[in-house]
Amino acid sequence: MGAPLLVDNADLSVKTLGACRIDSPLMPLLGERPTTQHYIDEADKVLYDDTTSMIAARQVDLAELPGFEPAGPRRKIYFDPSKTRVGIVTCGGLCPGLNNVIRGLVLELTSHYRVRRIFGFRNGYQGFIARYGHDVVDLTPESVANIDDDGGTILGSSRGQQDPGEIVDCLSRMNINILFVIGGDGTLRGAKEISRVATERGEKIAVVGIPKTIDNDIPYIDQSFGFQTAFGKAAESIRVAHAEATSAPGGMGVVRLMGRHSGFIACYATLAKSNADVVLIPELPFKLEGEGGLLNYLRHRVVERGHAVVVVAEGAGQELITDQPEGSDASGNRKLHDVGPVLSRRITEHFANEGVELNLKYIDPSYAIRSVPANPYDNVYTIRLAHAAVHAAMSGRTEMVVGRWRRRFIHIPIALAVSQRNQVDPAGDLWMSVLEATGQPPHFE
Ligand SMILES: Nc1ncnc2c1ncn2[C@@H]1O[C@H](COP(=O)(O)OP(=O)(O)O)[C@@H](O)[C@H]1O
Ligand SMILES: O=P(O)(O)OC[C@H]1O[C@](O)(COP(=O)(O)O)[C@@H](O)[C@@H]1O
Ligand SMILES: [Mg+2]
Protein backbone atom coordinates (compact mmCIF):
# COMPACT_ATOMS: atom_id res chain seq x y z
CA MET A 1 0.00 0.00 0.00
CA GLY A 2 2.32 2.72 1.21
CA ALA A 3 5.83 3.02 -0.17
CA PRO A 4 8.06 0.38 1.43
CA LEU A 5 11.05 1.51 3.45
CA LEU A 6 13.18 -1.02 1.60
CA VAL A 7 13.78 1.36 -1.30
CA ASP A 8 17.40 2.49 -1.50
CA ASN A 9 19.51 4.67 -3.77
CA ALA A 10 20.08 1.84 -6.25
CA ASP A 11 16.30 1.60 -6.84
CA LEU A 12 16.09 5.35 -7.44
CA SER A 13 19.01 5.65 -9.82
CA VAL A 14 18.06 6.67 -13.36
CA LYS A 15 19.74 5.24 -16.46
CA THR A 16 21.39 7.50 -19.01
CA LEU A 17 22.49 6.90 -22.58
CA GLY A 18 25.85 8.59 -22.11
CA ALA A 19 27.72 11.71 -21.10
CA CYS A 20 26.08 15.11 -21.72
CA ARG A 21 28.48 17.22 -23.78
CA ILE A 22 26.23 19.70 -25.57
CA ASP A 23 25.34 23.09 -24.09
CA SER A 24 21.63 23.28 -23.39
CA PRO A 25 19.73 25.98 -25.27
CA LEU A 26 18.02 26.65 -21.94
CA MET A 27 21.24 27.86 -20.30
CA PRO A 28 20.28 31.55 -20.58
CA LEU A 29 17.03 30.78 -18.75
CA LEU A 30 18.74 28.56 -16.23
CA GLY A 31 21.93 30.35 -15.24
CA GLU A 32 23.43 29.41 -11.89
CA ARG A 33 21.03 29.16 -9.01
CA PRO A 34 21.04 27.22 -5.76
CA THR A 35 18.44 24.86 -4.38
CA THR A 36 15.64 26.70 -2.56
CA GLN A 37 12.16 25.66 -1.49
CA HIS A 38 11.11 26.59 -5.05
CA TYR A 39 13.96 25.20 -7.09
CA ILE A 40 16.25 22.18 -7.00
CA ASP A 41 19.70 22.17 -8.50
CA GLU A 42 20.35 19.26 -10.83
CA ALA A 43 23.09 17.91 -8.53
CA ASP A 44 20.74 17.79 -5.54
CA LYS A 45 18.30 15.01 -4.54
CA VAL A 46 14.69 14.96 -3.34
CA LEU A 47 14.52 12.91 -0.17
CA TYR A 48 12.53 9.73 -0.33
CA ASP A 49 11.68 9.83 3.37
CA ASP A 50 9.87 12.85 4.70
CA THR A 51 9.52 12.31 8.44
CA THR A 52 12.15 12.34 11.11
CA SER A 53 11.20 8.85 12.25
CA MET A 54 11.59 7.45 8.73
CA ILE A 55 14.96 9.10 8.37
CA ALA A 56 16.08 7.95 11.83
CA ALA A 57 15.09 4.37 10.96
CA ARG A 58 17.59 4.37 8.10
CA GLN A 59 20.58 4.76 10.42
CA VAL A 60 22.77 6.08 7.60
CA ASP A 61 24.69 9.30 6.99
CA LEU A 62 22.91 12.23 5.40
CA ALA A 63 24.69 11.75 2.06
CA GLU A 64 23.47 8.16 1.88
CA LEU A 65 19.80 8.91 2.45
CA PRO A 66 17.82 7.69 -0.55
CA GLY A 67 16.70 10.44 -2.85
CA PHE A 68 15.06 10.94 -6.25
CA GLU A 69 16.82 12.75 -9.04
CA PRO A 70 15.15 16.15 -9.45
CA ALA A 71 13.47 16.93 -12.77
CA GLY A 72 14.24 20.09 -14.72
CA PRO A 73 16.56 21.42 -17.42
CA ARG A 74 20.20 20.34 -17.37
CA ARG A 75 23.03 22.69 -18.30
CA LYS A 76 24.50 20.09 -20.65
CA ILE A 77 22.41 17.74 -22.78
CA TYR A 78 23.01 14.45 -24.59
CA PHE A 79 21.12 14.89 -27.86
CA ASP A 80 21.96 17.44 -30.51
CA PRO A 81 18.55 19.10 -30.97
CA SER A 82 18.94 19.82 -34.67
CA LYS A 83 19.44 16.10 -35.35
CA THR A 84 16.98 14.70 -32.83
CA ARG A 85 13.88 12.84 -33.99
CA VAL A 86 11.10 12.20 -31.52
CA GLY A 87 8.14 9.83 -31.28
CA ILE A 88 5.08 10.16 -29.04
CA VAL A 89 2.51 7.46 -28.24
CA THR A 90 -0.53 7.20 -25.95
CA CYS A 91 -1.65 3.74 -24.72
CA GLY A 92 -4.25 2.16 -22.45
CA GLY A 93 -7.48 3.73 -21.17
CA LEU A 94 -8.35 7.40 -21.55
CA CYS A 95 -7.59 10.01 -18.94
CA PRO A 96 -8.21 13.78 -18.91
CA GLY A 97 -5.10 15.66 -20.02
CA LEU A 98 -3.66 13.27 -22.64
CA ASN A 99 -3.85 15.93 -25.34
CA ASN A 100 -2.34 18.48 -22.98
CA VAL A 101 0.71 16.27 -22.48
CA ILE A 102 1.12 15.77 -26.24
CA ARG A 103 0.83 19.51 -26.79
CA GLY A 104 3.24 20.30 -23.95
CA LEU A 105 5.86 17.90 -25.31
CA VAL A 106 5.64 19.31 -28.83
CA LEU A 107 5.76 22.94 -27.73
CA GLU A 108 8.71 22.44 -25.41
CA LEU A 109 10.66 20.37 -27.94
CA THR A 110 10.14 22.86 -30.73
CA SER A 111 10.17 26.25 -29.05
CA HIS A 112 13.07 25.75 -26.65
CA TYR A 113 15.15 22.89 -28.00
CA ARG A 114 14.35 23.57 -31.68
CA VAL A 115 13.70 19.90 -32.42
CA ARG A 116 12.33 19.67 -35.96
CA ARG A 117 10.81 16.22 -36.39
CA ILE A 118 8.18 14.88 -34.02
CA PHE A 119 6.05 11.89 -35.00
CA GLY A 120 2.83 10.82 -33.35
CA PHE A 121 2.20 7.05 -33.47
CA ARG A 122 -1.44 6.13 -33.83
CA ASN A 123 -3.51 3.86 -31.58
CA GLY A 124 -1.01 2.94 -28.93
CA TYR A 125 1.69 0.37 -29.53
CA GLN A 126 -0.19 -0.80 -32.66
CA GLY A 127 1.10 2.36 -34.35
CA PHE A 128 4.63 0.91 -34.60
CA ILE A 129 3.60 -2.37 -36.15
CA ALA A 130 3.49 -2.36 -39.95
CA ARG A 131 0.61 -4.82 -40.40
CA TYR A 132 -1.85 -2.47 -38.67
CA GLY A 133 -1.20 0.10 -41.41
CA HIS A 134 -1.61 3.17 -39.20
CA ASP A 135 -0.07 6.34 -40.62
CA VAL A 136 2.28 8.34 -38.43
CA VAL A 137 1.21 11.90 -37.70
CA ASP A 138 3.54 14.89 -38.02
CA LEU A 139 3.24 16.86 -34.83
CA THR A 140 3.95 20.58 -35.07
CA PRO A 141 3.23 23.59 -32.85
CA GLU A 142 0.43 24.49 -35.26
CA SER A 143 -1.17 21.04 -35.30
CA VAL A 144 -1.25 20.78 -31.50
CA ALA A 145 -2.11 24.40 -30.73
CA ASN A 146 -5.64 23.80 -29.45
CA ILE A 147 -5.84 20.06 -28.87
CA ASP A 148 -6.04 20.63 -25.12
CA ASP A 149 -9.59 21.92 -25.62
CA ASP A 150 -10.74 18.32 -26.08
CA GLY A 151 -10.72 15.16 -24.02
CA GLY A 152 -9.45 11.83 -25.36
CA THR A 153 -6.21 11.64 -27.33
CA ILE A 154 -5.64 12.92 -30.87
CA LEU A 155 -3.28 9.97 -31.40
CA GLY A 156 -5.79 7.32 -30.40
CA SER A 157 -4.97 4.51 -27.99
CA SER A 158 -5.28 0.75 -27.69
CA ARG A 159 -4.86 -2.22 -25.43
CA GLY A 160 -3.23 -5.50 -26.46
CA GLN A 161 0.40 -6.58 -26.38
CA GLN A 162 2.78 -5.85 -29.26
CA ASP A 163 6.25 -7.29 -29.86
CA PRO A 164 8.90 -4.90 -28.46
CA GLY A 165 11.34 -6.16 -31.12
CA GLU A 166 9.02 -4.97 -33.89
CA ILE A 167 8.54 -1.66 -32.10
CA VAL A 168 12.32 -1.12 -31.94
CA ASP A 169 12.57 -2.13 -35.63
CA CYS A 170 10.18 0.70 -36.42
CA LEU A 171 12.02 3.23 -34.24
CA SER A 172 15.31 2.28 -35.91
CA ARG A 173 13.85 2.49 -39.43
CA MET A 174 12.61 5.99 -38.62
CA ASN A 175 15.85 7.01 -36.87
CA ILE A 176 13.96 8.00 -33.77
CA ASN A 177 16.16 9.01 -30.83
CA ILE A 178 13.55 9.74 -28.18
CA LEU A 179 10.26 7.97 -27.49
CA PHE A 180 7.74 9.50 -25.12
CA VAL A 181 5.17 7.01 -23.85
CA ILE A 182 2.04 8.28 -22.15
CA GLY A 183 0.32 5.44 -20.35
CA GLY A 184 -0.29 3.42 -17.23
CA ASP A 185 1.41 0.44 -15.63
CA GLY A 186 0.93 -1.81 -18.68
CA THR A 187 2.27 0.85 -21.04
CA LEU A 188 5.27 1.42 -18.83
CA ARG A 189 6.04 -2.32 -18.67
CA GLY A 190 5.91 -2.23 -22.46
CA ALA A 191 8.21 0.83 -22.47
CA LYS A 192 10.70 -1.01 -20.30
CA GLU A 193 10.72 -3.89 -22.78
CA ILE A 194 11.27 -1.46 -25.67
CA SER A 195 14.17 0.08 -23.82
CA ARG A 196 15.64 -3.35 -23.01
CA VAL A 197 15.54 -4.46 -26.64
CA ALA A 198 17.00 -1.15 -27.85
CA THR A 199 19.85 -1.47 -25.36
CA GLU A 200 20.51 -5.07 -26.39
CA ARG A 201 20.81 -3.89 -29.97
CA GLY A 202 23.10 -1.03 -29.03
CA GLU A 203 20.54 1.57 -30.13
CA LYS A 204 20.71 4.89 -28.29
CA ILE A 205 17.01 5.53 -27.83
CA ALA A 206 15.77 7.42 -24.79
CA VAL A 207 12.43 6.06 -23.53
CA VAL A 208 10.69 8.48 -21.18
CA GLY A 209 7.22 8.02 -19.75
CA ILE A 210 4.55 10.38 -18.53
CA PRO A 211 2.46 8.19 -16.21
CA LYS A 212 -1.24 8.14 -16.98
CA THR A 213 -3.71 6.59 -14.59
CA ILE A 214 -7.16 7.78 -13.83
CA ASP A 215 -7.21 5.43 -10.87
CA ASN A 216 -4.13 7.18 -9.43
CA ASP A 217 -2.59 3.78 -8.91
CA ILE A 218 1.02 4.47 -9.95
CA PRO A 219 3.25 4.87 -6.88
CA TYR A 220 5.71 7.68 -6.07
CA ILE A 221 3.43 10.30 -7.57
CA ASP A 222 1.41 12.56 -5.30
CA GLN A 223 -1.44 12.47 -7.79
CA SER A 224 -1.54 11.45 -11.43
CA PHE A 225 -2.56 13.98 -14.07
CA GLY A 226 -6.25 14.01 -14.92
CA PHE A 227 -7.13 12.57 -11.56
CA GLN A 228 -8.35 15.87 -10.16
CA THR A 229 -10.49 16.49 -13.25
CA ALA A 230 -11.90 12.97 -12.96
CA PHE A 231 -12.85 13.07 -9.31
CA GLY A 232 -14.32 16.55 -9.75
CA LYS A 233 -16.56 15.15 -12.47
CA ALA A 234 -17.38 12.11 -10.33
CA ALA A 235 -18.41 14.38 -7.45
CA GLU A 236 -21.17 15.74 -9.69
CA SER A 237 -22.71 12.27 -9.77
CA ILE A 238 -22.65 12.09 -5.98
CA ARG A 239 -24.42 15.43 -5.84
CA VAL A 240 -27.05 14.14 -8.26
CA ALA A 241 -27.45 10.92 -6.28
CA HIS A 242 -27.93 12.93 -3.10
CA ALA A 243 -30.58 15.12 -4.72
CA GLU A 244 -32.47 12.03 -5.88
CA ALA A 245 -32.15 10.31 -2.51
CA THR A 246 -33.34 13.28 -0.47
CA SER A 247 -36.31 13.85 -2.78
CA ALA A 248 -38.04 10.51 -2.33
CA PRO A 249 -39.30 8.50 0.66
CA GLY A 250 -36.72 5.82 1.47
CA GLY A 251 -34.41 7.44 -1.08
CA MET A 252 -31.11 5.79 -1.88
CA GLY A 253 -28.48 6.73 -4.42
CA VAL A 254 -25.86 4.20 -5.50
CA VAL A 255 -22.96 5.67 -7.49
CA ARG A 256 -20.46 3.34 -9.13
CA LEU A 257 -17.11 4.94 -9.95
CA MET A 258 -13.97 3.71 -11.70
CA GLY A 259 -11.21 2.17 -9.64
CA ARG A 260 -10.20 -1.41 -10.40
CA HIS A 261 -7.77 -1.96 -7.56
CA SER A 262 -7.49 1.47 -5.99
CA GLY A 263 -10.36 3.45 -4.51
CA PHE A 264 -8.86 6.92 -4.83
CA ILE A 265 -11.54 8.31 -7.15
CA ALA A 266 -14.28 7.10 -4.80
CA CYS A 267 -12.53 8.62 -1.77
CA TYR A 268 -11.71 11.97 -3.34
CA ALA A 269 -15.06 12.38 -5.09
CA THR A 270 -16.74 11.70 -1.77
CA LEU A 271 -14.60 14.23 0.07
CA ALA A 272 -15.18 16.77 -2.73
CA LYS A 273 -18.90 16.57 -2.05
CA SER A 274 -19.36 15.32 1.47
CA ASN A 275 -22.84 13.94 1.29
CA ALA A 276 -22.20 10.26 0.79
CA ASP A 277 -23.02 7.95 3.67
CA VAL A 278 -20.89 5.00 2.68
CA VAL A 279 -17.83 4.56 0.48
CA LEU A 280 -16.77 1.08 -0.63
CA ILE A 281 -13.28 0.55 -2.05
CA PRO A 282 -11.38 -2.45 -3.43
CA GLU A 283 -8.83 -2.23 -0.62
CA LEU A 284 -11.42 -3.05 2.05
CA PRO A 285 -13.56 -6.19 1.74
CA PHE A 286 -17.00 -5.84 3.32
CA LYS A 287 -19.85 -8.05 4.42
CA LEU A 288 -23.41 -7.48 3.26
CA GLU A 289 -25.34 -9.62 5.73
CA GLY A 290 -25.41 -9.75 9.51
CA GLU A 291 -25.64 -7.27 12.34
CA GLY A 292 -22.44 -5.43 11.31
CA GLY A 293 -23.05 -5.83 7.59
CA LEU A 294 -23.60 -3.10 5.01
CA LEU A 295 -27.28 -3.87 4.39
CA ASN A 296 -28.22 -3.50 8.04
CA TYR A 297 -26.28 -0.24 8.26
CA LEU A 298 -27.98 1.21 5.20
CA ARG A 299 -31.45 0.24 6.43
CA HIS A 300 -30.85 1.96 9.79
CA ARG A 301 -29.48 4.99 8.01
CA VAL A 302 -32.55 5.30 5.79
CA VAL A 303 -34.95 4.71 8.68
CA GLU A 304 -33.19 7.31 10.85
CA ARG A 305 -32.32 9.94 8.22
CA GLY A 306 -34.76 9.22 5.43
CA HIS A 307 -32.12 8.65 2.77
CA ALA A 308 -28.64 7.32 2.04
CA VAL A 309 -25.97 7.62 -0.66
CA VAL A 310 -23.49 4.82 -1.39
CA VAL A 311 -20.35 5.33 -3.48
CA VAL A 312 -18.83 2.10 -4.73
CA ALA A 313 -15.57 1.74 -6.62
CA GLU A 314 -15.76 -0.82 -9.42
CA GLY A 315 -13.23 -3.16 -7.81
CA ALA A 316 -14.99 -3.25 -4.44
CA GLY A 317 -16.97 -6.28 -3.32
CA GLN A 318 -15.64 -8.56 -6.08
CA GLU A 319 -15.48 -11.38 -3.57
CA LEU A 320 -19.26 -11.21 -3.20
CA ILE A 321 -19.91 -12.01 -6.86
CA THR A 322 -19.45 -15.65 -7.69
CA ASP A 323 -22.00 -16.20 -10.44
CA GLN A 324 -20.38 -14.16 -13.24
CA PRO A 325 -17.75 -15.46 -15.71
CA GLU A 326 -14.07 -14.59 -15.31
CA GLY A 327 -12.20 -12.94 -18.17
CA SER A 328 -9.49 -10.49 -19.14
CA ASP A 329 -9.12 -7.62 -21.60
CA ALA A 330 -6.74 -7.43 -24.57
CA SER A 331 -3.89 -6.30 -22.33
CA GLY A 332 -4.42 -9.16 -19.91
CA ASN A 333 -6.06 -7.03 -17.20
CA ARG A 334 -8.66 -9.07 -15.30
CA LYS A 335 -12.20 -8.06 -16.24
CA LEU A 336 -14.11 -7.18 -13.12
CA HIS A 337 -17.64 -8.18 -12.21
CA ASP A 338 -20.09 -5.31 -12.31
CA VAL A 339 -20.58 -4.62 -8.62
CA GLY A 340 -23.05 -1.74 -8.98
CA PRO A 341 -26.12 -3.63 -10.22
CA VAL A 342 -25.37 -6.56 -7.88
CA LEU A 343 -25.18 -4.24 -4.90
CA SER A 344 -28.36 -2.42 -5.94
CA ARG A 345 -30.22 -5.74 -6.25
CA ARG A 346 -29.05 -6.96 -2.84
CA ILE A 347 -30.08 -3.65 -1.20
CA THR A 348 -33.48 -3.79 -2.88
CA GLU A 349 -34.07 -7.40 -1.74
CA HIS A 350 -32.98 -6.60 1.81
CA PHE A 351 -35.30 -3.61 2.17
CA ALA A 352 -38.18 -5.64 0.70
CA ASN A 353 -37.55 -8.49 3.15
CA GLU A 354 -37.44 -6.06 6.06
CA GLY A 355 -40.56 -4.23 4.85
CA VAL A 356 -38.81 -0.86 4.62
CA GLU A 357 -39.72 1.48 1.79
CA LEU A 358 -36.89 2.04 -0.74
CA ASN A 359 -36.51 4.25 -3.80
CA LEU A 360 -33.13 3.35 -5.22
CA LYS A 361 -31.50 5.22 -8.07
CA TYR A 362 -28.36 3.75 -9.63
CA ILE A 363 -25.83 6.03 -11.37
CA ASP A 364 -22.76 4.89 -13.30
CA PRO A 365 -20.85 7.83 -14.78
CA SER A 366 -17.74 5.74 -15.64
CA TYR A 367 -16.67 6.92 -19.10
CA ALA A 368 -18.13 10.39 -18.58
CA ILE A 369 -15.45 11.15 -15.98
CA ARG A 370 -12.39 10.17 -18.01
CA SER A 371 -13.13 11.47 -21.50
CA VAL A 372 -13.54 15.13 -20.56
CA PRO A 373 -10.98 17.92 -21.11
CA ALA A 374 -8.61 18.59 -18.23
CA ASN A 375 -9.53 21.22 -15.65
CA PRO A 376 -7.28 24.26 -15.06
CA TYR A 377 -5.27 22.46 -12.36
CA ASP A 378 -4.56 19.55 -14.68
CA ASN A 379 -3.77 21.97 -17.53
CA VAL A 380 -0.97 23.34 -15.39
CA TYR A 381 0.13 19.97 -14.10
CA THR A 382 0.30 18.34 -17.54
CA ILE A 383 2.36 21.11 -19.10
CA ARG A 384 4.84 20.96 -16.25
CA LEU A 385 5.12 17.18 -16.55
CA ALA A 386 5.68 17.58 -20.29
CA HIS A 387 8.44 20.13 -19.70
CA ALA A 388 10.10 17.80 -17.19
CA ALA A 389 9.88 14.85 -19.59
CA VAL A 390 11.49 16.81 -22.43
CA HIS A 391 14.36 18.01 -20.22
CA ALA A 392 14.95 14.44 -19.02
CA ALA A 393 14.94 12.95 -22.50
CA MET A 394 17.18 15.64 -24.04
CA SER A 395 19.72 14.92 -21.32
CA GLY A 396 19.73 11.25 -22.36
CA ARG A 397 17.81 9.88 -19.38
CA THR A 398 15.98 6.69 -20.25
CA GLU A 399 13.70 3.98 -18.83
CA MET A 400 12.19 6.52 -16.47
CA VAL A 401 9.01 8.47 -15.88
CA VAL A 402 8.49 11.97 -14.59
CA GLY A 403 6.33 12.57 -11.56
CA ARG A 404 5.53 14.96 -8.78
CA TRP A 405 6.40 13.67 -5.34
CA ARG A 406 5.85 15.80 -2.27
CA ARG A 407 5.42 18.79 -4.59
CA ARG A 408 8.82 18.41 -6.29
CA PHE A 409 9.10 17.21 -9.90
CA ILE A 410 11.31 14.13 -10.02
CA HIS A 411 12.62 11.27 -12.20
CA ILE A 412 11.45 7.76 -11.31
CA PRO A 413 12.97 4.63 -12.87
CA ILE A 414 10.25 2.68 -14.69
CA ALA A 415 11.17 -0.46 -12.74
CA LEU A 416 10.25 1.33 -9.53
CA ALA A 417 7.11 2.93 -10.95
CA VAL A 418 5.70 -0.49 -11.87
CA SER A 419 7.06 -2.34 -8.83
CA GLN A 420 3.89 -1.91 -6.81
CA ARG A 421 0.42 -0.42 -7.03
CA ASN A 422 -0.57 2.75 -5.23
CA GLN A 423 -3.62 1.97 -3.12
CA VAL A 424 -5.69 3.61 -0.43
CA ASP A 425 -4.17 2.62 2.89
CA PRO A 426 -6.96 1.61 5.32
CA ALA A 427 -4.61 2.73 8.12
CA GLY A 428 -3.74 5.99 6.38
CA ASP A 429 -5.02 9.52 6.80
CA LEU A 430 -7.02 9.62 3.53
CA TRP A 431 -9.26 6.77 4.62
CA MET A 432 -9.54 8.37 8.06
CA SER A 433 -10.83 11.55 6.39
CA VAL A 434 -13.37 9.48 4.48
CA LEU A 435 -14.58 7.86 7.70
CA GLU A 436 -14.82 11.31 9.31
CA ALA A 437 -16.77 12.73 6.37
CA THR A 438 -19.21 9.86 5.96
CA GLY A 439 -19.57 8.68 9.54
CA GLN A 440 -19.48 5.07 8.33
CA PRO A 441 -17.86 2.41 10.54
CA PRO A 442 -14.27 1.41 9.67
CA HIS A 443 -15.45 -2.07 8.61
CA PHE A 444 -18.65 -3.82 7.65
CA GLU A 445 -18.09 -7.22 9.21
N1 LIG B 1 4.08 -6.62 -19.36
C1 LIG B 1 3.92 -5.95 -20.51
N2 LIG B 1 4.89 -5.94 -21.45
C2 LIG B 1 4.73 -5.30 -22.60
N3 LIG B 1 3.63 -4.59 -22.92
C3 LIG B 1 2.62 -4.54 -22.04
C4 LIG B 1 2.70 -5.22 -20.79
N4 LIG B 1 1.55 -5.00 -20.11
C5 LIG B 1 0.79 -4.23 -20.93
N5 LIG B 1 1.43 -3.94 -22.06
C6 LIG B 1 0.92 -3.16 -23.19
O1 LIG B 1 0.78 -1.79 -22.82
C7 LIG B 1 -0.37 -1.23 -23.44
C8 LIG B 1 -1.27 -0.59 -22.42
O2 LIG B 1 -1.54 -1.48 -21.35
P1 LIG B 1 -2.91 -1.43 -20.57
O3 LIG B 1 -2.83 -2.38 -19.42
O4 LIG B 1 -4.04 -1.67 -21.54
O5 LIG B 1 -3.09 0.06 -20.11
P2 LIG B 1 -2.33 0.94 -19.03
O6 LIG B 1 -1.04 1.38 -19.63
O7 LIG B 1 -3.27 2.04 -18.78
O8 LIG B 1 -2.08 0.05 -17.83
C9 LIG B 1 -1.04 -2.36 -24.19
O9 LIG B 1 -0.65 -2.30 -25.54
C10 LIG B 1 -0.49 -3.59 -23.50
O10 LIG B 1 -0.51 -4.74 -24.28
O1 LIG C 1 -13.20 0.01 -20.42
P1 LIG C 1 -11.73 0.21 -20.61
O2 LIG C 1 -11.41 1.18 -21.69
O3 LIG C 1 -11.00 -1.08 -20.74
O4 LIG C 1 -11.14 0.90 -19.31
C1 LIG C 1 -11.75 0.82 -18.07
C2 LIG C 1 -10.79 0.69 -16.96
O5 LIG C 1 -9.61 1.45 -16.98
C3 LIG C 1 -9.42 2.07 -15.73
O6 LIG C 1 -9.81 3.39 -15.89
C4 LIG C 1 -8.02 2.00 -15.23
O7 LIG C 1 -7.12 2.60 -16.11
P2 LIG C 1 -5.92 3.56 -15.68
O8 LIG C 1 -5.79 3.60 -14.19
O9 LIG C 1 -4.73 2.93 -16.34
O10 LIG C 1 -6.22 4.91 -16.27
C5 LIG C 1 -10.35 1.35 -14.78
O11 LIG C 1 -10.75 2.06 -13.66
C6 LIG C 1 -11.47 0.99 -15.67
O12 LIG C 1 -12.14 -0.15 -15.30
MG1 LIG D 1 -3.18 -0.54 -16.15
Side-chain angles (χ1 to χ4, degrees):
M1 308 251 159
L5 253 184
L6 300 171
V7 167
D8 61 23
N9 273 318
D11 302 309
L12 306 181
S13 118
V14 173
K15 289 188 186 164
T16 62
L17 294 174
C20 293
R21 299 213 169 86
I22 299 171
D23 283 336
S24 168
L26 273 95
M27 263 306 274
L29 199 67
L30 195 53
E32 294 294 332
R33 54 179 90 177
T35 294
T36 67
Q37 59 269 54
H38 302 296
Y39 179 79
I40 315 171
D41 183 72
E42 61 184 89
D44 210 340
K45 286 195 305 190
V46 176
L47 283 182
Y48 178 88
D49 303 308
D50 71 344
T51 69
T52 48
S53 67
M54 288 163 85
I55 289 172
R58 295 271 178 194
Q59 297 190 314
V60 296
D61 292 342
L62 184 67
E64 287 166 44
L65 282 174
F68 289 100
E69 191 172 85
R74 268 45 186 174
R75 295 180 182 89
K76 296 274 186 190
I77 57 176
Y78 177 80
F79 287 109
D80 174 353
S82 63
K83 298 173 189 64
T84 302
R85 293 159 69 93
V86 173
I88 302 178
V89 66
T90 52
C91 309
L94 294 184
C95 178
L98 287 167
N99 282 335
N100 302 58
V101 175
I102 298 167
R103 177 176 174 273
L105 293 172
V106 173
L107 296 183
E108 183 70 10
L109 284 162
T110 52
S111 63
H112 288 292
Y113 287 98
R114 305 275 168 218
V115 168
R116 292 173 200 142
R117 293 310 303 270
I118 308 172
F119 302 99
F121 289 87
R122 300 268 313 148
N123 299 331
Y125 287 138
Q126 285 184 6
F128 300 94
I129 311 293
R131 69 174 176 281
Y132 288 99
H134 301 312
D135 287 338
V136 289
V137 184
D138 268 320
L139 295 172
T140 63
E142 296 72 34
S143 71
V144 301
N146 298 312
I147 61 173
D148 53 330
D149 290 343
D150 294 316
T153 159
I154 56 154
L155 296 178
S157 189
S158 68
R159 298 201 193 269
Q161 199 133 351
Q162 307 301 335
D163 177 8
E166 285 187 62
I167 295 176
V168 177
D169 289 344
C170 173
L171 294 171
S172 308
R173 272 196 305 269
M174 293 180 67
N175 292 318
I176 286 182
N177 312 103
I178 295 175
L179 177 64
F180 290 106
V181 291
I182 312 170
D185 57 337
T187 306
L188 298 177
R189 286 194 177 92
K192 198 165 175 307
E193 284 300 291
I194 295 168
S195 179
R196 181 185 59 75
V197 173
T199 308
E200 276 171 13
R201 294 186 188 176
E203 301 263 7
K204 297 283 192 184
I205 302 174
V207 181
V208 171
I210 299 92
K212 170 243 47 141
T213 158
I214 202 167
D215 290 349
N216 196 38
D217 61 5
I218 295 183
Y220 310 107
I221 293 168
D222 295 338
Q223 262 179 23
S224 50
F225 76 79
F227 175 71
Q228 192 187 84
T229 304
F231 79 71
K233 196 76 192 150
E236 292 174 16
S237 293
I238 300 178
R239 185 179 302 124
V240 166
H242 185 255
E244 289 282 350
T246 51
S247 306
M252 174 143 353
V254 176
V255 182
R256 193 201 82 142
L257 296 175
M258 281 193 171
R260 282 181 204 249
H261 305 285
S262 305
F264 289 105
I265 295 179
C267 291
Y268 273 84
T270 296
L271 292 171
K273 189 65 203 163
S274 311
N275 48 23
D277 297 86
V278 170
V279 180
L280 303 168
I281 57 173
E283 293 86 341
L284 272 170
F286 58 92
K287 272 200 180 149
L288 285 172
E289 307 287 350
E291 185 56 30
L294 174 70
L295 298 175
N296 221 10
Y297 183 78
L298 288 176
R299 194 184 74 250
H300 283 300
R301 198 82 177 170
V302 169
V303 168
E304 282 157 22
R305 298 189 155 212
H307 65 272
V309 173
V310 181
V311 175
V312 58
E314 65 178 308
Q318 292 296 305
E319 62 284 354
L320 302 171
I321 308 166
T322 50
D323 58 349
Q324 292 182 13
E326 299 292 329
S328 53
D329 71 12
S331 293
N333 303 308
R334 187 165 72 91
K335 275 198 176 151
L336 298 183
H337 307 307
D338 199 350
V339 65
V342 173
L343 190 62
S344 301
R345 179 171 51 79
R346 296 293 296 272
I347 295 170
T348 305
E349 287 168 0
H350 176 81
F351 275 65
N353 289 342
E354 296 291 327
V356 176
E357 184 173 15
L358 178 72
N359 267 298
L360 187 148
K361 299 286 186 286
Y362 175 59
I363 299 171
D364 178 356
S366 296
Y367 294 109
I369 71 164
R370 74 172 194 183
S371 48
V372 294
N375 72 9
Y377 173 88
D378 280 321
N379 288 339
V380 174
Y381 188 26
T382 45
I383 197 140
R384 297 194 69 191
L385 284 171
H387 291 169
V390 170
H391 298 318
M394 291 304 293
S395 75
R397 262 86 181 159
T398 189
E399 235 177 282
M400 55 147 280
V401 300
V402 289
R404 196 173 198 192
W405 169 253
R406 296 168 181 161
R407 305 213 52 83
R408 305 278 201 177
F409 286 89
I410 56 162
H411 298 165
I412 308 161
I414 289 183
L416 188 68
V418 300
S419 63
Q420 59 164 336
R421 185 178 279 138
N422 189 31
Q423 288 188 298
V424 177
D425 184 350
D429 60 355
L430 173 63
W431 186 244
M432 207 185 297
S433 291
V434 171
L435 296 181
E436 288 174 61
T438 58
Q440 75 190 75
H443 301 281
F444 293 105
E445 53 191 13

